[in-house]
Amino acid sequence: YLGTGFPRDSQPFLPYKFPGSSSSKFTAKSFAFSLFFYPSSLLLLLSSVMDNCLNLSDGKLYVKGVPLLSEVPLNVTLKTFSSICQSLNAPPAILRRVQSMSNKGGFFGFKKEDSSDRLINSLGKFSDRDFLSIFRFKTWWSTQWVGRSGSDLQMETQWVLLDVPETKSYVIIIPIVQGKFRSALHPGSDGHVWICVESGSTQAVASSFDAIAYVHVSENPYNLMKEAYSALRVHLNTFRLLEEKSVAPLVDKFGWCTWDSFYLTVEPAGVWLGVKEFSDGGVSPRFLIIDDGWQSFNLDSDKLHEDAKNCVLCGSQMTARLHRLDEGEKFRSYEGGSLLGPNPPRFDPKKPKMLISKASELEHAEKARDKAIKSVGITTLAPQVFRLETQVEKLREELDMMLLGEQDRRGCDNGSCKSENSGLKAFTKDLRTNFKGLDDIYVWHAVAGAWSGVRPGATHLDAKVVPCIVSPGLGGTMEDLAADKTVEDGIGLVHPDQAEDFYDSMHSYLSEVGITGVKVDVIQTLEYVGEEYGGRVELAKAYYKGLSKSLSKNFKGNGLISSMQHCNDFFLLGTEQISMGRVGDDFWFQDPNGDPMGAYWLQGVHMIHCAYNSMWMGQFIQPDWDMFQSDHLCAKFHAGSRAICGGPIYVSDHLGGHDFDLLKKLVFPDGSIPRCRAFALPTRDCLFKNPLFDSKSILKMWNFNKYGGVIGAFNCQGAGWDTIEQRFKGYPQCYKPMSGSIHVKDIEWDQNMEATEMGEAEEYAVYQNQAEKIFTVTPESDATQITIQPSAFEIFSIVPVKKLGEAAKFAPIGLTNMFNSGGAIHSLEYKEASVKVTVKGGGSFLAYSSVSPKECYLGGAPVKFEWSVDGKLTLNLPWIEEAGGAIDVGVQF
């Protein structure tokens, strides 16, 4: 019993069978054996006798003695972590971490009399208690929601975090998967929290569960997320944490996505011109994403092996299916070297916008016609309907004529243009030949191949059109074109037994032709089509297994960006290998519902999605904040958030639509970025606030650089979720300046091992990037008051001050011409009366210096500097290409 804390006459080990022993009887020999060879088993044993922080009795859930839920039904159970989880299949460090705090968590279960494929049960009620939650507002996307009662929750809630100030702690309830079922939280009446458990198939039924939701308590909300999802990683063993996986190299780079520039009209000449524009503008993309439109897809009404014609806007391809697994005719017909020579194929850079404009006009006319038909309620012979139908036909003819010339420039089918020096392989080779820094080229595809899957009979795969069944839980979500179109004609689903062959067939070919990764989209469609395949959990397992194997084989294990996947099905079942994914809805440059102010307020909504989703998604994947357009009305607002988000930075600019001055505040000339070392998260005082439409809160996010912290303050007010209309809409009364405060303690320094020491500094230099102010504070200083204009921001670089000798105090801020100034500092070395700072990037280097230095050096040579009494020490740094942009800055006192 040495070191266990148990008295000699206690018998805590007797019920436990030791590894390597045939008996559960305690002996010194068995104890020593277990301690030495199975330390994780010993921790599991010890955890079983620690005091549990959670207790269910008399219809109440208690947390450290404080009642959290009341009126818990008699059919609900709470079981300890150690009684449910016996898995030891995790890395030792994670296993020890989980087992050392297993007394802080437990599992909800319940039992019903009748079996069903969908069951709903109350977990109890709460009221007058702040909560933060994440709920699905579309099939594929989730966002933040706050409230005070169980009835304030939204449908399809993925987790709820409760504030328990009575014990200075926080509690999270996470609906999870068990067997063939997954779960979500729903609002109930009178403060009740309901759990909805469903399989997605009438063939998969059950009546009882002993671990369908996980509850965990912790004193720190950020630790809470790590602890809870680490516990689930050990319990489920169906995913791996981000810390266990490698992330694709593009995370440190700048890129361009073709989507908003072309939509479905994407073709080689346009892609080439786009990359060239960035390169000529001094911001070279290091990765390229060729988005939707490059594949071989068609409609069921088209000839079996003929690409669909005249597809321009998103929506026209959503009922299409793949008829082959390689590139479409537009890319198949590319001839190697044709864009490298003196007479490249003609391409009008204005044409994509003209096509998109005409297609948008047609789409609006079709919507007006359909609305008229619905309102009139009679045949198309009605005068109003007839007029609109005539307009639609006229616009369609005009669009067809515009597209006719595009088709005439091509002219191969059935692979007749394929050769060693043609198609996608030749195109990727030419791109890399001409644009030397282009490291990665990704392409888009849907989880089922195309939006509506694979066309039966068109490939070697066993594909079948499966009707879509939408869960009733999604009834409270937003109207969505993508969901409506996908459900319309069903999914051409490759049989799950062939999922591995399916993905490998696509990916092995792509890898051979120079593609280094894929963006896999529309992932959550799998939940629609599980009826014939044992349910959504079983189908997801098969598909994610195939996808993971292909990722490992063909794209170095990490060349994948997941998208449209904001559901616990994916995160708990699909992230064993996948290590990067979108954490927000699409970048919307305007409101699809027509609100002219949507171009402004939708941008704040996007930031809220990304910041709060990162709290849980960041446990599984590297958060990706998606692209934006550098010439958008709120481009600077977006750029500020991307600068500190900690993920890759990429844009979806139109041809000719670039703000290079703005991009150069984010990107170095070589296409790398000054990335933060973690992913941005909301500050603790924002967790239970509504920074979208409470008319008082600013979104604040914290992150780390190598030698300092960073806080971003963003005024996102002006829009939000409407629970009645079930959509995001503008709240113009909230679109106004907001005041708040920042403090050095807003940064959670203890969340990063390397930053912990920085959090113990006696003094800090603070630099406001937008206001261009520098000042010093201590941990005991009053908070700094700020006022942020609508759709605006401020970034605070916070760096520990170092005392040098008798009088000098110093703190390197970084490059002030970059939004994330401190991200430019690569190394820092202090000596008794001197400092050496290695900085990447050119521009204005700023440091805080309490006194004027005797001398400053660049690369060892003396250089001019400026110093002012407020402590600003500035030097101008050149970009030296040969050195990769890095240069040593020396300061002598």
Side-chain angles (χ1 to χ4, degrees), residues 336-357:
S338 61
L339 289 168
L340 293 171
N343 299 305
R346 291 180 294 105
F347 182 82
D348 181 359
K350 297 179 182 178
K351 193 66 174 288
K353 269 195 172 182
M354 293 168 58
L355 289 169
I356 291 168
S357 177

Side-chain angles (χ1 to χ4, degrees), residues 68 70 125-130 148-150 190-191:
L68 186 70
S70 61
K125 61 181 284 186
F126 73 89
S127 59
D128 298 323
R129 186 174 295 281
D130 289 334
R148 298 271 297 162
S149 158
D190 193 29

Side-chain angles (χ1 to χ4, degrees), residues 61-357:
L61 174 67
Y62 291 91
V63 178
K64 297 182 179 180
V66 173
L68 186 70
L69 299 177
S70 61
E71 296 185 19
V72 178
L74 293 175
N75 70 331
V76 172
T77 59
L78 178 72
K79 297 187 177 181
T80 63
F81 180 87
S82 55
S83 69
I84 292 291
C85 179
Q86 300 297 326
S87 170
L88 299 178
N89 191 4
I94 294 175
L95 198 57
R96 287 193 294 269
R97 186 172 75 214
V98 168
Q99 291 167 343
S100 69
M101 57 190 68
S102 60
N103 64 314
K104 299 167 69 174
F107 293 94
F108 272 129
F110 69 87
K111 185 174 183 179
K112 293 274 197 178
E113 290 186 3
D114 298 321
S115 295
S116 176
D117 61 307
R118 188 169 187 269
L119 304 97
I120 299 177
N121 204 89
S122 172
L123 295 179
K125 61 181 284 186
F126 73 89
S127 59
D128 298 323
R129 186 174 295 281
D130 289 334
F131 76 75
L132 164 67
S133 66
I134 293 290
F135 76 99
R136 283 202 288 168
F137 64 90
K138 290 183 180 180
T139 298
W140 2 82
W141 303 122
S142 65
T143 195
Q144 171 254 28
W145 189 250
V146 294
R148 298 271 297 162
S149 158
S151 298
D152 294 335
L153 291 169
Q154 298 299 294
M155 300 286 280
E156 274 297 310
T157 290
Q158 305 296 290
W159 53 263
V160 59
L161 174 70
L162 296 148
D163 189 16
V164 191
E166 303 95 316
T167 60
K168 297 182 180 179
S169 59
Y170 304 84
V171 173
I172 191 168
I173 303 175
I174 307 173
I176 59 173
V177 296
Q178 182 180 348
K180 296 183 177 182
F181 287 75
R182 58 80 65 171
S183 61
L185 301 178
H186 291 187
S189 59
D190 193 29
H192 275 267
V193 179
W194 291 84
I195 188 163
C196 176
V197 184
E198 57 191 339
S199 70
S201 172
T202 55
Q203 300 172 14
V205 299
S207 62
S208 65
F209 306 89
D210 57 8
I212 198 60
Y214 182 64
V215 194
H216 196 91
V217 57
S218 185
E219 294 73 30
N220 181 306
Y222 307 100
N223 289 345
L224 176 66
M225 304 304 286
K226 291 180 183 179
E227 293 171 8
Y229 285 103
S230 294
L232 291 176
R233 186 263 181 260
V234 171
H235 165 60
L236 294 172
N237 196 32
T238 53
F239 66 90
R240 289 192 298 160
L241 300 168
L242 176 60
E243 66 186 78
E244 301 177 70
K245 298 176 284 194
S246 65
V247 178
L250 62 75
V251 72
D252 292 306
K253 300 170 185 177
F254 168 72
W256 177 53
C257 176
T258 63
W259 179 242
D260 285 319
S261 198
F262 305 103
Y263 294 131
L264 301 173
T265 69
V266 63
E267 62 165 292
V271 174
W272 183 279
L273 181 58
V275 178
K276 185 177 185 299
E277 286 182 355
F278 284 105
S279 182
D280 292 346
V283 185
S284 300
R286 297 288 293 275
F287 68 91
L288 166 69
I289 301 175
I290 302 175
D291 213 298
D292 197 359
W294 69 274
Q295 294 172 290
S296 298
F297 62 83
N298 61 23
L299 303 174
D300 290 344
S301 57
D302 292 328
K303 292 181 180 179
L304 188 61
H305 288 296
E306 186 175 284
D307 285 355
K309 307 298 182 185
N310 300 354
C311 292
V312 178
L313 295 182
C314 180
S316 56
Q317 90 290 25
M318 287 180 176
T319 56
R321 316 187 202 280
L322 294 186
H323 63 85
R324 46 191 293 165
L325 303 180
D326 59 359
E327 67 268 37
E329 183 184 329
K330 293 180 293 184
F331 284 84
R332 245 184 358 257
S333 61
Y334 176 77
E335 297 180 9
S338 61
L339 289 168
L340 293 171
N343 299 305
R346 291 180 294 105
F347 182 82
D348 181 359
K350 297 179 182 178
K351 193 66 174 288
K353 269 195 172 182
M354 293 168 58
L355 289 169
I356 291 168
S357 177

Side-chain angles (χ1 to χ4, degrees), residues 829-867:
E829 182 182 350
Y830 287 111
K831 294 185 178 179
E832 185 176 349
S834 66
V835 186
K836 185 173 81 171
V837 187
T838 302
V839 181
K840 177 168 183 175
S844 179
F845 172 77
L846 171 68
Y848 167 76
S849 181
S850 61
V851 296
S852 177
K854 292 179 180 179
E855 194 73 75
C856 290
Y857 304 87
L858 283 183
V863 67
K864 291 182 179 180
F865 64 89
E866 294 182 6
W867 179 83

Side-chain angles (χ1 to χ4, degrees), residues 510-539:
L510 291 172
S511 179
E512 289 172 4
V513 300
I515 299 301
T516 56
V518 286
K519 173 184 173 183
V520 180
D521 217 345
V522 211
I523 286 177
Q524 210 49 41
T525 48
L526 291 176
E527 74 173 77
Y528 292 162
V529 288
E531 171 62 32
E532 299 179 36
Y533 305 102
R536 58 194 285 179
V537 170
E538 295 302 300
L539 178 61

Side-chain angles (χ1 to χ4, degrees), residues 817-834:
N817 49 292
M818 308 297 286
F819 283 138
N820 182 26
S821 304
I825 300 177
H826 282 206
S827 70
L828 174 62
E829 182 182 350
Y830 287 111
K831 294 185 178 179
E832 185 176 349
S834 66

